[in-house]
Each structure stands twice: as C-alpha cells, then as structure tokens.
Amino acid sequence: SATTVNTAAQPGCSLTAQYVSDISIPDGTQVQAGAQFVKTWRMRNTSSCDWPAGYKLAFFENEPLGPVNASEPLGPIARNAEFEVSVQLTAPATSGIYTSTWRLRDATGASFGNRVYVAIKVP
C-alpha cells in the first residue's frame, strides 16, 4: 500500500517552539567584516503534536546578514524534543553592531514559535 507524506501538522495541533540556548556565536561575538560564520540555536518543540519533515528556520527581521539562506529542512521532530538548528551567515563589510532575527516556518511557510536572533559586533 502507498503511504502519503503529510507535511502539515495534525488538525487541531497548535504549533509552538521555545528557545533553549545558544550553541554557537554568543551575543556580542566579534566577527571580522565579510567573514562567514554558522549560528546554531537549541530549541524545543513545545507544540501539542510531533512535527513532520519539511520545517525550517527562516530569516524574519532586522539585518539579514546575507545572503540569507534558511536552515536545512528540519523534522520529523517529536513533541517536547529538543533539537539544534543552524544557519550560515556573513558579517557585513561595515563596522557596527548587527542583529539578525529568525523564526521557524512550517511546510506551508507559516511562521511560529519563539523568535531567535544572533547579535554580532563587526570591528
């Protein structure tokens, strides 16, 4: 028999996610102008259901620190499970303090859960 891959959460599932901790690039980290770096956060699926495959972390607001690429696809992730998610970023060419805010998106592109951010200092 064929199986259908459902990329939507179960009906009635309220999608939520919680920030747990920074794994890399703590706030205020100095990053050289133009340098590429990887920011990783630990988060938890606080939804009322497991997540199917196809979710990702995507740029939400402030400085894109581009080129902005969403995370690799996430999932499936069990309810209450912690997971790590990373994005590759590039420091701006101009000195200053920069914040880039990201948020989870489900397979339909809808944003949900805690916003997470990286805050860097370019000398």
Side-chain angles (χ1 to χ4, degrees):
S1 68
T3 53
T4 316
V5 177
N6 182 8
T7 57
Q10 291 113 336
C13 175
S14 137
L15 287 178
T16 60
Q18 183 178 47
Y19 163 83
V20 176
S21 63
D22 289 323
I23 301 298
S24 68
I25 316 292
D27 293 348
T29 296
Q30 187 166 298
V31 179
Q32 293 304 310
Q36 288 194 338
F37 62 99
V38 174
K39 172 66 182 190
T40 303
W41 297 270
R42 181 182 301 276
M43 300 186 77
R44 180 188 301 274
N45 173 0
T46 53
S47 305
S48 58
C49 62
D50 297 348
W51 297 345
Y55 288 29
K56 57 181 59 176
L57 192 70
F59 174 70
F60 191 71
E61 64 186 0
N62 300 318
E63 301 290 332
L65 300 184
V68 175
N69 293 316
S71 70
E72 294 297 314
L74 300 168
I77 296 174
R79 185 170 69 91
N80 288 324
E82 287 190 3
F83 59 96
E84 291 181 7
V85 58
S86 301
V87 290
Q88 183 167 334
L89 303 169
T90 303
T94 311
S95 64
I97 296 171
Y98 298 91
T99 301
S100 185
T101 303
W102 295 68
R103 199 163 179 210
L104 289 163
R105 284 194 187 151
D106 69 14
T108 70
S111 297
F112 69 95
N114 283 163
R115 297 170 190 181
V116 294
Y117 65 89
V118 57
I120 61 166
K121 184 186 306 182
V122 177

